Amino acid sequence: QKREISNFDYLMYLNTLAGRSYNDYMQYPVFPWVLADYHSETLNLTDPHTFRDLSKPMGAQTVERKQKFVQRFNEVEKSEGDLSAQCHYCTHYSSAIIVASYLVRMEPFTQTFCSLQGGSFDVADRMFHSVKSTWESASRDNMSDVRELTPEFFYLPEFLTNANHFELGCMQDGTVLGDVQLPPWADGDPHKFIFLHRQALESDYVSAHLHRWIDLIFGHKQHGSAAVEAVNTYHPYFYGDKMDLNSIKDPLIKGTILGFISNFGQIPKQV
């Protein structure tokens, strides 16, 4: 409110309070997608349509997608199955594999990604190769993709280039994977992308709406009735601090839950 701290610093502070750390891939700092425009030649930071709706989680960015997730939630309620698994999303917005896939072109993330994938890179079409197509997947096209971003998207151009010349494979359309494809407004320059992306994060629009995203990720819309209303509920196993693992006597069930959390991510502690 007083403009005495940047939005970036504020988000890092909140992540730290919520137990997120660069030292833990499973609880890596989480940052929001702030833009919805990855097709224009120039970026207009005075136009509200340039930005993502920060009051809604990634799964509710379009009306059609939101309705599908609400339908999934309601269908579980009607089924005879385990009611505790009633949720909108069975995948998470931040996990070890999401972090490693974003940063795969830099060590030590390259080795981490390969070890999580069983020793090799993923199929080229599933690798992080384009900011625009990743936004479209996470905000619109892919029902199992609701990922947010990592802090590096706002300060580290190096993760967007394949400076180590890793052989990341070839996509079905013949495209050889190398540097990350950037939006037109970045002019193919990772430094310009980071510069403008950071400007977007610090813009008046984001400053005026960022608290709504914070409510979803770190605040009162994280769980409970407020989360249901906001179409923002995740599989019960993702709420690590809400699960009393010590009360689970069956080692197989306990191991399954811990494996689930380590693979698929964890909701931050509520701030």
Side-chain angles (χ1 to χ4, degrees), residues 16-258:
T16 305
L17 283 179
R20 314 295 283 191
S21 164
Y22 281 120
N23 299 320
D24 185 350
Y25 290 119
M26 291 180 283
Q27 296 194 79
Y28 207 76
V30 56
F31 269 60
W33 287 95
V34 292
L35 293 172
D37 181 355
Y38 298 97
H39 55 269
S40 297
E41 293 295 327
T42 55
L43 197 59
N44 183 359
L45 296 180
T46 60
D47 182 359
H49 294 104
T50 299
F51 297 92
R52 164 257 180 106
D53 187 342
L54 286 159
S55 69
K56 296 184 175 71
M58 287 303 290
Q61 289 297 308
T62 69
V63 175
E64 299 80 15
R65 197 168 190 232
K66 178 182 175 182
Q67 287 171 344
K68 285 180 185 173
F69 281 120
V70 170
Q71 186 181 351
R72 173 192 284 175
F73 184 90
N74 293 334
E75 280 171 358
V76 173
E77 189 177 32
K78 295 190 188 85
S79 74
E80 298 298 314
D82 180 7
L83 290 178
S84 67
Q86 185 180 25
C87 61
H88 295 108
Y89 314 115
C90 298
T91 53
H92 200 257
Y93 50 76
S94 175
S95 67
I97 195 68
I98 289 171
V99 171
S101 70
Y102 278 146
L103 307 175
V104 69
R105 289 163 179 79
M106 296 190 312
E107 291 289 13
F109 302 97
T110 314
Q111 293 303 317
T112 302
F113 183 83
C114 289
S115 66
L116 288 169
Q117 283 291 339
S120 63
F121 291 119
D122 199 358
V123 177
D125 285 84
R126 288 204 299 258
M127 297 277 286
F128 172 52
H129 66 277
S130 157
V131 178
K132 178 175 181 276
S133 64
T134 302
W135 160 255
E136 288 170 351
S137 170
S139 67
R140 188 185 73 199
D141 296 341
N142 186 345
M143 289 292 285
S144 60
D145 182 3
V146 292
R147 70 192 128 162
E148 295 278 7
L149 300 180
T150 63
E152 286 80 3
F153 276 82
F154 300 95
Y155 69 83
L156 191 69
E158 286 77 12
F159 87 95
L160 297 164
T161 59
N162 187 20
N164 293 316
H165 306 293
F166 293 120
E167 292 186 10
L168 302 171
C170 187
M171 294 171 65
Q172 285 182 339
D173 64 5
T175 306
V176 177
L177 254 61
D179 298 346
V180 176
Q181 294 169 12
L182 302 174
W185 45 259
D187 297 327
D189 181 353
H191 288 84
K192 185 173 183 181
F193 171 83
I194 295 292
F195 176 73
L196 290 172
H197 204 215
R198 181 65 173 265
Q199 275 197 324
L201 180 66
E202 305 300 341
S203 67
D204 288 341
Y205 179 90
V206 172
S207 297
H209 295 86
L210 188 58
H211 63 286
R212 297 183 182 279
W213 183 82
I214 290 167
D215 286 344
L216 295 168
I217 307 298
F218 301 106
H220 75 288
K221 291 184 180 176
Q222 216 187 50
H223 54 83
S225 58
V228 175
E229 199 174 317
V231 193
N232 192 44
T233 64
Y234 296 81
H235 193 284
Y237 290 173
F238 293 146
Y239 297 88
D241 58 338
K242 298 281 182 290
M243 299 213 54
D244 185 9
L245 289 172
N246 295 324
S247 67
I248 299 170
K249 298 291 180 263
D250 188 326
L252 192 63
I253 295 174
K254 194 171 185 176
T256 301
I257 293 172
L258 287 170

Side-chain angles (χ1 to χ4, degrees), residues 252-267:
L252 192 63
I253 295 174
K254 194 171 185 176
T256 301
I257 293 172
L258 287 170
F260 197 93
I261 293 167
S262 66
N263 283 320
F264 294 106
Q266 202 169 337
I267 303 284

